[in-house]
Amino acid sequence: WRTALAVGSLVLTGWIGVAGADDECCKQDGPQWTFGASTSYTYDFNRPDAPPLSGNANEMTYPSREQDESFNIDLVQLGVSGTRGRVGYAAKLDYGDLARIAGDSEDGDIALQEAFLTYDGDGVGVRLGRFTTPIGYEVLEPWGNAQASRSWAWQAQPINHDGLTFGGTADVIDVMIGIVNSFTVADQ
């Protein structure tokens, strides 16, 4: 029964994808699913029961210090995105020790990192919802960073925003303006 349901879901998704392919107004791309995972082993060469230096990035990631001498699930992420005509959508759901930093979790294990809608107007794009920050050097996903560890700037840069942005391109310059009512910083 479960196999039949899975096959039926795949067939239905494929059929929906083909249905509007000929209409110019109803072109679609999606859904596109993404998955990422990051694990680590933590060992403190100092005294793990003594508090680390103030502002230590490991203290912020692992505040309970229960992760010393253990394998950890840093982040498991499931994402979906797509478009239908001029409207697009995207969402990322996080699980693990880094999920707390995304800022949408009571217990710190599961968080909604982003969920937004976009509209592609003629030359101007609009985005509404929770989205990752357009500023900063590092991202929440460890596999998206150029380095293996976090910099001191990671503690001060925003991770995501809740709000509305308008953006466009003029020649070789990208321009964006936004109104946000909150943001999440990695120091929580």
Side-chain angles (χ1 to χ4, degrees):
W1 169 253
R2 290 182 185 166
T3 304
L5 181 61
V7 171
S9 297
L10 290 173
V11 171
L12 180 61
T13 304
W15 177 74
I16 291 171
V18 173
D22 295 328
D23 257 345
E24 184 63 34
C25 70
C26 300
K27 288 203 177 204
Q28 62 182 3
D29 175 24
Q32 296 177 356
W33 295 92
T34 59
F35 175 81
S38 175
T39 61
S40 65
Y41 179 81
T42 305
Y43 181 82
D44 190 346
F45 287 98
N46 297 317
R47 294 185 357 235
D49 56 342
L53 298 173
S54 177
N56 186 313
N58 285 331
E59 179 183 10
M60 290 183 301
T61 304
Y62 305 111
S64 67
R65 293 188 212 104
E66 295 172 354
Q67 292 86 355
D68 182 53
E69 297 187 28
S70 65
F71 288 96
N72 306 299
I73 298 173
D74 298 328
L75 186 65
V76 176
Q77 184 180 82
L78 181 63
V80 62
S81 63
T83 59
R84 180 151 183 104
R86 293 179 175 234
V87 177
Y89 59 90
K92 289 182 184 175
L93 187 64
D94 297 339
Y95 172 80
D97 295 326
L98 292 175
R100 177 183 57 81
I101 297 173
D104 187 46
S105 177
E106 290 293 320
D107 64 0
D109 288 338
I110 298 177
L112 182 66
Q113 181 181 341
E114 65 181 31
F116 61 86
L117 295 173
T118 60
Y119 180 77
D120 184 15
D122 292 326
V124 176
V126 179
R127 178 172 48 179
L128 174 67
R130 171 171 280 196
F131 45 88
T132 56
T133 186
I135 61 173
Y137 177 66
E138 299 178 66
V139 296
L140 181 66
E141 300 88 348
W143 55 86
N145 292 318
Q147 65 282 353
S149 63
R150 303 281 183 190
S151 69
W152 286 105
W154 168 248
Q155 301 171 35
Q157 79 174 41
I159 305 300
N160 55 29
H161 302 279
D162 298 333
L164 171 72
T165 64
F166 298 91
T169 302
D171 261 345
V172 295
I173 299 173
D174 290 337
V175 179
M176 179 189 293
I177 187 167
I179 302 169
V180 297
N181 66 355
S182 71
F183 63 89
T184 307
V185 179
D187 70 349
Q188 291 191 18

